Amino acid sequence: MRYVAIALLTSVCCLSWAGVLPNSAREELLKSTLSMFWGHAKLSDGSVVQPENEQERRTLPVSRDVANQVLDVGELSGLAMWCGLDWQSHYLSMTAATRKNGFNEKQVAFIGVLHGAAQGIVVKAMELASCGASDRIKVMEMMQHSTYKRFLR
């Protein structure tokens, strides 16, 4: 966790955003999110998400590229939350873009759960530091150039 906090602080200071969580952590987060997704997450109509078959249960509902970009957006939302910025409209814009670009309800639900998982990890890691004025400005700039704006077109 200390490594993640240091990496997060470094990324904020340098304004680079290519994914803070290392690939191994991302892979583990994808696996744990998928295992907790079916039967727990809810669709927009309030019903619980269920797989159609065992193959679907074992398969990511979105591509790895999309999953990694959602993790990037979730990490950024975590930083925004750390700085007291409006992360909710950032998240809602992403989910609206997913629907507009043909993602089905199960995919949108998975994207939401994955986003929340990444956001939670960042918020937990950032408890060790406070968001200063320069951090806040940098996070706002990063939100203006968020990855969801390029991958969901």
Side-chain angles (χ1 to χ4, degrees):
M1 189 61 83
R2 187 173 293 223
Y3 168 77
V4 172
I6 291 168
L8 286 167
L9 289 171
T10 302
S11 71
V12 171
C13 294
C14 302
L15 203 75
S16 64
W17 198 260
V20 172
L21 294 173
N23 287 338
S24 60
R26 284 173 171 245
E27 189 59 36
E28 189 58 38
L29 187 56
L30 279 173
K31 286 180 186 177
S32 66
T33 301
L34 184 61
S35 72
M36 296 300 295
F37 177 67
W38 303 110
H40 295 98
K42 293 194 177 181
L43 298 171
S44 61
D45 67 3
S47 63
V48 176
V49 179
Q50 294 293 347
E52 291 183 22
N53 53 48
E54 195 55 35
Q55 176 66 29
E56 186 177 32
R57 179 181 300 281
R58 293 188 311 262
T59 305
L60 283 177
V62 296
S63 71
R64 290 218 180 259
D65 183 47
V66 168
N68 277 308
Q69 291 173 34
V70 169
L71 289 171
D72 289 345
V73 175
E75 290 169 349
L76 182 52
S77 291
L79 287 174
M81 189 174 192
W82 170 61
C83 286
L85 298 171
D86 178 20
W87 65 268
Q88 293 97 337
S89 63
H90 183 244
Y91 167 75
L92 293 173
S93 294
M94 179 188 68
T95 56
T98 60
R99 287 184 174 94
K100 180 180 175 188
N101 287 288
F103 287 78
N104 66 43
E105 286 301 309
K106 286 181 185 178
Q107 291 172 314
V108 174
F110 184 77
I111 285 168
V113 172
L114 187 59
H115 172 275
Q119 181 181 18
I121 286 173
V122 170
V123 168
K124 181 73 174 160
M126 297 313 288
E127 288 176 347
L128 304 172
S130 61
C131 178
S134 63
D135 297 323
R136 186 177 171 88
I137 290 168
K138 290 173 185 172
V139 172
M140 286 190 304
E141 289 172 1
M142 291 186 318
M143 289 178 73
Q144 290 174 346
H145 299 95
S146 181
T147 60
Y148 85 82
K149 293 176 182 174
R150 71 178 155 86
F151 88 89
L152 295 174
R153 289 188 183 167

